[in-house]
């Protein structure tokens, strides 16, 4: 099968991450990824692969190589410090019953 | 490792004596923080290759097993044992291959479907199978393997796919049986996989299971209209049922005592054993067959009140292994159809890549034209 592989070398389609807005008023949400020749091609493939049952009203595609992700080994550095800042949440504060809803 | 919090405390201690603009303070804290922190790593979101910096735990690493036991999902960039990664690549890619090869036995019937309605439905169903293959290939790629290497493994015969697709679809009733029985068995297998420990696989399975239910119902609907039809149609359904019953039970794989992949349950990949799933399928399907008036080709089949399950006769394991090893009725035809399709599609991939290069070139040239004008 190496012959098959050679035929295709240099023509490997890059990977795109696909985001779909399920209905007007909601965020685009990551739904998966696919290979396509370019962005326009990726949109048309994403339509067939991810919205065969009206799952969306809008599609974004982003080359996977353009996404910068936070490093997993810095997960605790990044996110643990927020664990002890409970005063950022409204439930931290006592509101007298007489005040009612605030 | 310095955390943002500890950095804040230290900076605060040095600035308490002077009144200070809080905005400016935040900026300097940030500078200090960045100075001590390594640069962010450029990494593809769902598709990062195993980071060398990550610890690669042993296959029975207590911390890893504890994470699985606590039902925490493993994501592509999390540390995982090499064997866990290998197991997933094998299982997910075999699953993907099954979806793609699974398009073949039904694809041949699209032009032969008995009505426009059946043709539309079958076309949609076969398109779904292609989509399922694509979700799964993408999930496998998050583990650091390339699409091309997975396809190479399929085309060279190194990779396996579900043996059920090595049986022929001789009559229209077989299309009904594939939906009702084969997809029914697949759902039995796949529903527990929606809770599998590997995030991208679990998410792909949720999507697939949502769509699979339509497949089973359209199959049941085909069989139902045949058994409610003429004597010939009913006989066609019964003959087809007899052809597919045993191969469908074989889809759940070898007996638990002969199954080699027991580690998969410790890793939260396999939730129920082969025999448990097979039993569930029999229990659910027997009453459906009775409703349809079809006779199950198994003299040993009977309700066991003590167990609360149906007993059923032994499977022909010689046939099972023969088909797995390539000796089924259609093994060669299926594989050569896949290889031919891939080779014949080479010019399409080449043309698409060339078109993309041309468009990129044109886009790059546009601003220059503006300046010139």
């Amino acid at each position: 099968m190496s012959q098959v592989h050679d035929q295709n070398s240099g023509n490997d389609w890059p990977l795109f991450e696909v985001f779909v807005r399920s209905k007007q008023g909601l965020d685009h949400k990551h739904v998966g990824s696919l290979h396509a020749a370019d962005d326009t091609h990726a949109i048309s493939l994403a339509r067939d692969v991810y919205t065969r049952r009206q799952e969306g009203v809008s599609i974004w595609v982003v080359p996977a190589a353009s996404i910068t992700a936070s490093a997993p080994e810095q997960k605790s550095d990044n996110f643990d410090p927020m664990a002890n800042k409970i005063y950022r949440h409204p439930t931290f504060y006592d509101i007298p019953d007489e005040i009612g809803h605030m | 490792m310095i955390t943002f919090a500890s950095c804040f405390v230290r900076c605060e201690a040095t600035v308490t004596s002077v009144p200070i603009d809080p905005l400016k303070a935040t900026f300097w804290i940030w500078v200090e923080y960045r100075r001590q922190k390594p640069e962010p790593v450029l990494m593809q979101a769902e598709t990062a290759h195993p980071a060398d910096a990550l610890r690669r735990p042993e296959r029975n690493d207590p911390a890893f097993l504890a994470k699985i036991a606590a039902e925490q999902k493993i994501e592509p960039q999390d540390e995982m044992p090499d064997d866990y990664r290998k197991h997933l690549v094998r299982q997910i890619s075999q699953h993907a291959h099954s979806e793609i090869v699974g398009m073949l036995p039904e694809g041949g019937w699209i032009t032969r479907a008995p009505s426009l309605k059946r043709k539309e439905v079958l076309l949609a169903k076969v398109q779904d199978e292609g989509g399922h293959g694509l979700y799964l290939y993408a999930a496998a790629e998050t583990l650091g393997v390339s699409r091309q290497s997975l396809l190479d493994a399929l085309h060279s015969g190194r990779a396996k796919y579900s043996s059920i697709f090595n049986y022929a679809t001789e009559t229209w009733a077989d299309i009904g049986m594939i939906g009702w029985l084969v997809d029914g068995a697949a759902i039995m297998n796949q529903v527990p996989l929606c809770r599998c420990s590997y995030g991208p696989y679990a998410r792909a399975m949720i999507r697939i299971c949502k769509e699979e239910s339509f497949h089973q119902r359209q199959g049941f609907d085909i069989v139902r209209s045949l058994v409610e039809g003429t004597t010939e149609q009913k006989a066609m359904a019964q003959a087809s049922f007899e052809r597919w019953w045993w191969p469908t039970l074989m889809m759940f794989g070898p007996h638990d005592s002969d199954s080699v992949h027991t580690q998969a349950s410790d890793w939260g990949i396999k939730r129920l054993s082969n025999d448990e799933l097979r039993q569930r399928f029999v229990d659910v399907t027997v009453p459906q067959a009775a409703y349809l008036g079809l006779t199950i080709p198994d003299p040993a089949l009977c309700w066991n009140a003590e167990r609360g399950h149906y007993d059923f006769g032994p499977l022909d394991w010689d046939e099972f292994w023969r088909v797995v090893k390539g000796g089924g009725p259609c093994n060669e035809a299926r594989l050569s159809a896949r290889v031919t399709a891939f080779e014949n599609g080479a010019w399409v991939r080449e043309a698409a890549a060339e078109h993309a290069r041309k468009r990129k070139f044109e886009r790059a040239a546009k601003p220059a034209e503006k300046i010139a004008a």
Side-chain angles (χ1 to χ4, degrees):
Chain A
M1 287 310 111
S2 61
Q3 193 212 349
V4 172
H5 193 187
D6 290 343
Q7 278 178 358
N8 197 31
S9 62
N11 293 324
D12 287 342
W13 297 344
L15 193 69
F16 288 83
E17 299 297 338
V18 181
F19 301 78
V20 170
R21 184 200 289 283
S22 58
K23 66 177 198 192
Q24 208 65 20
L26 295 182
D27 292 326
H28 284 76
K29 192 171 166 244
H30 183 247
V31 292
S33 43
L34 49 76
H35 291 272
D38 65 7
D39 45 8
T40 321
H41 189 214
I43 289 278
S44 89
L45 293 184
R47 173 196 168 270
D48 289 346
V49 178
Y50 291 105
T51 62
R52 287 194 301 281
R53 289 176 176 76
Q54 292 189 298
E55 287 92 338
V57 294
S58 163
I59 300 172
W60 288 350
V61 293
V62 182
S66 312
I67 293 180
T68 305
S70 61
E73 61 269 27
Q74 286 169 10
K75 195 154 125 191
S76 58
D77 269 20
N78 281 337
F79 308 111
D80 287 356
M82 299 311 150
N84 60 3
K85 292 171 181 53
I86 47 171
Y87 47 80
R88 288 201 158 127
H89 299 279
T91 44
F92 177 75
Y93 303 93
D94 276 334
I95 301 296
D97 289 344
E98 293 85 331
I99 297 295
H101 180 73
M102 180 185 274
Chain B
M1 280 272 180
I2 184 159
T3 64
F4 189 90
S6 66
C7 172
F8 183 82
V9 169
R10 207 183 48 184
C11 293
E12 205 176 35
T14 58
V15 297
T16 38
S17 51
V18 237
I20 192 156
D21 175 4
L23 233 160
K24 215 183 255 177
T26 313
F27 173 73
W28 285 111
I29 289 162
W30 180 77
V31 168
E32 168 77 353
Y33 175 61
R34 279 303 300 267
R35 201 175 58 76
Q36 301 190 38
K37 193 186 169 194
E39 280 300 301
V41 191
L42 256 175
M43 225 183 286
Q44 292 174 15
E46 287 263 288
T47 48
H49 291 240
D52 290 335
L54 281 186
R55 197 173 66 95
R56 282 146 77 186
E58 293 294 312
R59 56 188 294 153
N60 284 318
D61 181 72
F64 183 75
L65 293 183
K67 200 172 165 186
I68 303 265
E71 300 280 331
Q72 283 185 36
K73 294 284 183 222
I74 309 298
E75 292 296 340
Q77 296 181 12
D78 292 341
E79 54 185 36
M80 62 183 94
D82 285 343
D83 288 338
Y84 175 85
R85 184 185 300 276
K86 259 188 234 158
H87 178 101
L88 281 168
V89 168
R90 202 199 66 230
Q91 181 171 334
I92 301 172
S93 63
Q94 280 184 7
H95 196 158
H97 299 328
S98 302
E99 299 283 357
I100 299 296
V101 175
M103 298 166 82
L104 297 170
E106 292 176 297
W109 278 94
I110 292 173
T111 54
R112 296 167 176 79
S115 70
L116 188 57
K117 175 188 133 193
R118 295 290 185 199
K119 196 193 296 278
E120 270 186 324
V121 170
L122 187 58
L123 199 56
K125 194 229 177 214
V126 173
Q127 191 195 22
D128 274 354
E129 306 295 1
H132 296 178
L134 293 175
Y135 308 153
L136 289 164
Y137 280 129
E141 283 174 82
T142 63
L143 291 155
V145 288
S146 73
R147 175 77 57 97
Q148 191 57 53
S149 72
L150 299 176
L151 294 181
D152 283 347
L154 173 67
H155 296 159
S156 66
R158 273 179 289 128
K160 296 267 181 274
Y161 54 85
S162 179
S163 279
I164 195 75
F165 302 119
N166 291 319
Y167 289 87
T169 41
E170 297 170 21
T171 65
W172 172 248
D174 291 0
I175 299 306
M177 293 301 160
I178 288 187
W180 172 42
L181 297 178
V182 174
D183 290 322
I187 291 170
M188 230 15 119
N189 250 324
Q190 291 171 347
V191 167
L193 285 172
C194 296
R195 295 188 297 124
C196 131
S197 61
Y198 188 58
Y201 191 26
R203 292 191 285 273
M205 289 317 306
I206 290 168
R207 190 174 289 280
I208 289 172
C209 284
K210 270 187 198 160
E211 301 181 349
E212 205 72 52
S213 183
F214 140 60
H215 298 179
Q216 193 188 15
R217 285 179 181 213
Q218 65 86 35
F220 184 84
D221 194 62
I222 290 173
V223 179
R224 189 180 171 189
S225 64
L226 287 174
V227 298
E228 289 171 359
T230 63
T231 318
E232 288 85 354
Q233 284 173 321
K234 192 168 181 193
M236 184 199 270
Q238 178 63 36
S240 170
F241 186 53
E242 289 173 19
R243 276 199 298 282
W244 290 91
W245 176 254
W246 291 108
T248 303
L249 295 193
M250 291 177 198
M251 282 175 68
F252 296 96
H255 266 315
D256 292 349
S257 53
D258 301 327
S259 180
V260 284
H261 306 303
T262 46
Q263 177 96 39
S265 53
D266 297 336
W267 282 335
I269 299 171
K270 201 180 170 88
R271 299 275 173 169
L272 294 163
S273 77
N274 294 353
D275 286 335
E276 282 170 322
L277 289 164
R278 194 170 5 245
Q279 182 70 60
R280 278 191 181 194
F281 176 77
V282 171
D283 290 347
V284 166
T285 311
V286 169
Q288 294 172 359
Y291 174 88
L292 293 167
L294 293 169
T295 310
I296 293 178
D298 180 0
L301 188 107
C302 67
W303 176 251
N304 182 330
E306 204 176 304
R307 290 201 309 129
H309 292 292
Y310 284 96
D311 288 337
F312 54 96
L315 278 68
D316 182 351
W317 294 111
D318 290 340
E319 176 182 333
F320 173 82
W321 290 113
R322 191 171 65 245
V323 182
V324 167
K325 289 176 180 154
C330 300
N331 291 58
E332 277 173 41
R334 300 294 184 233
L335 201 54
S336 84
R338 277 315 313 153
V339 172
T340 307
F342 188 75
E343 285 174 351
N344 289 347
W347 73 269
V348 180
R349 295 189 294 278
E350 202 177 320
E354 197 50 48
H355 182 68
R357 274 192 282 271
K358 193 185 90 181
R359 274 174 43 90
K360 201 174 167 186
F361 178 77
E362 284 171 354
R363 279 187 194 178
K366 257 189 187 162
E369 279 167 22
K370 266 187 196 164
I371 292 163

